[in-house]
Amino acid sequence: MPQDTRGMPRVDDRRVLSGIVHALKSGGRWSDCPEHIYGPKKTLYNRFRRWAERGVWERIFSSLAGVERVPAKLFIDSSCIKVHRTAGGAKGGPAHGIGITKGGRNTKLHAICDEKGRPHVLLLTPGNTHDAKVAMLAINAAPPSEYLVADKGYDSNALRSWLIERGTTPVIPSKSNRKVQIEHDRQIYRQRNVVERMFCRFKDWRRVATRFDRNIKTFMATIAIAAIVTWWL
């Protein structure tokens, strides 16, 4: 936690963090947080937003994700998040990770997790961004693993070659329209549901399942806190 605060001693971190987690998980308004339990609602919101602007929540998540050795298997996938109408007023929609899809405004969360379903890399893009376009960017944020497991959406010659050059074996089934089907380790691929279960844990958080935040930094902070709790659990 940041220790460079000035002026009056800040409200107890544990109490405020509990209030922030309550607001993000329940999806209620900040003013609905019981003040006698978590402290003033203004303190909860200000601590969350100011630390989001400073990247504090993301740094805490990064510290957790890098605390152990590189997993032998990493799993990559993405999930679309519906953007609530209250989040649509920020200037520069794409810059804030909001894109127009057939289902309306969406943000896409790209994630890489380990065999225990713990997230290691998190990335936000507009909802109309194809998974393969940002796959290398997301994978490059983590050290090379022995295997990289993904679904057919990541079936790309360029991605496969790049992974092999990194020393990683791609475990990606071929698309049905590929002329020459490429074999993959089916035993390892059966474990891919771990990344789906990880997204289910994320979507248990009301403010992750539906995006209410206009600013991408604030929304990324919400996801980082959910990831921190996932690691803790």
Side-chain angles (χ1 to χ4, degrees), residues 140-204:
N140 202 39
S145 59
E146 188 176 351
Y147 298 96
L148 191 283
V149 187
D151 61 18
K152 293 181 180 180
Y154 295 88
D155 180 21
S156 160
N157 291 333
L159 179 59
R160 288 178 183 273
S161 300
W162 181 76
L163 286 170
I164 293 171
E165 288 178 4
R166 277 170 56 94
T168 299
T169 301
V171 182
I172 307 172
S174 300
K175 294 179 181 177
S176 58
N177 61 354
R178 181 182 277 275
K179 293 182 179 180
V180 179
Q181 297 288 304
I182 300 175
E183 287 297 321
H184 64 280
D185 192 318
R186 297 178 183 274
Q187 193 68 29
I188 294 178
Y189 187 74
R190 289 178 182 176
Q191 303 171 28
R192 201 192 70 83
N193 64 83
V194 70
V195 72
E196 304 291 351
R197 299 201 304 270
M198 179 202 66
F199 279 120
C200 287
R201 295 190 190 98
F202 271 119
K203 295 299 180 73
D204 285 339

Side-chain angles (χ1 to χ4, degrees), residues 2-220:
Q3 302 297 328
D4 57 348
T5 55
R6 299 179 180 179
M8 294 290 292
R10 69 184 187 218
V11 181
D12 178 59
D13 282 330
R14 186 178 295 273
R15 185 183 184 190
V16 173
L17 285 174
S18 296
I20 292 172
V21 169
H22 170 77
L24 301 182
K25 195 164 180 71
S26 67
R29 299 174 300 176
W30 293 98
S31 58
D32 292 335
C33 296
E35 188 168 334
H36 65 285
I37 299 176
Y38 302 120
K41 60 180 181 295
K42 188 174 181 180
T43 300
L44 299 181
Y45 176 72
N46 284 343
R47 183 81 58 86
F48 167 72
R49 183 180 57 80
R50 289 170 183 171
W51 284 12
E53 289 291 331
R54 294 171 58 185
V56 172
W57 306 113
E58 293 177 59
R59 287 198 297 272
I60 295 174
F61 162 68
S62 297
S63 298
L64 280 172
V67 75
E68 295 184 2
R69 62 178 179 81
V70 181
K73 305 185 193 76
L74 287 178
F75 303 79
I76 185 172
D77 205 351
S78 68
S79 181
C80 284
I81 298 172
K82 185 71 174 178
V83 177
H84 193 267
R85 60 180 177 81
T86 58
K91 293 182 179 179
H96 287 280
I98 299 175
I100 306 297
T101 66
K102 291 182 179 179
R105 289 176 299 185
N106 278 275
T107 292
K108 184 174 283 189
L109 172 61
H110 305 263
I112 296 176
C113 73
D114 59 20
E115 297 173 80
K116 296 181 180 179
R118 300 177 302 186
H120 283 253
V121 177
L122 300 170
L123 179 66
L124 291 175
T125 65
N128 52 3
T129 304
H130 195 279
D131 294 345
K133 288 185 177 181
V134 296
M136 292 184 186
L137 180 63
I139 296 168
N140 202 39
S145 59
E146 188 176 351
Y147 298 96
L148 191 283
V149 187
D151 61 18
K152 293 181 180 180
Y154 295 88
D155 180 21
S156 160
N157 291 333
L159 179 59
R160 288 178 183 273
S161 300
W162 181 76
L163 286 170
I164 293 171
E165 288 178 4
R166 277 170 56 94
T168 299
T169 301
V171 182
I172 307 172
S174 300
K175 294 179 181 177
S176 58
N177 61 354
R178 181 182 277 275
K179 293 182 179 180
V180 179
Q181 297 288 304
I182 300 175
E183 287 297 321
H184 64 280
D185 192 318
R186 297 178 183 274
Q187 193 68 29
I188 294 178
Y189 187 74
R190 289 178 182 176
Q191 303 171 28
R192 201 192 70 83
N193 64 83
V194 70
V195 72
E196 304 291 351
R197 299 201 304 270
M198 179 202 66
F199 279 120
C200 287
R201 295 190 190 98
F202 271 119
K203 295 299 180 73
D204 285 339
W205 293 65
R206 186 69 180 86
R207 283 183 175 265
V208 175
T210 302
R211 176 176 173 175
F212 296 96
D213 300 298
R214 295 181 181 181
N215 191 288
I216 191 169
K217 286 186 177 181
T218 308
F219 187 54
M220 190 67 218

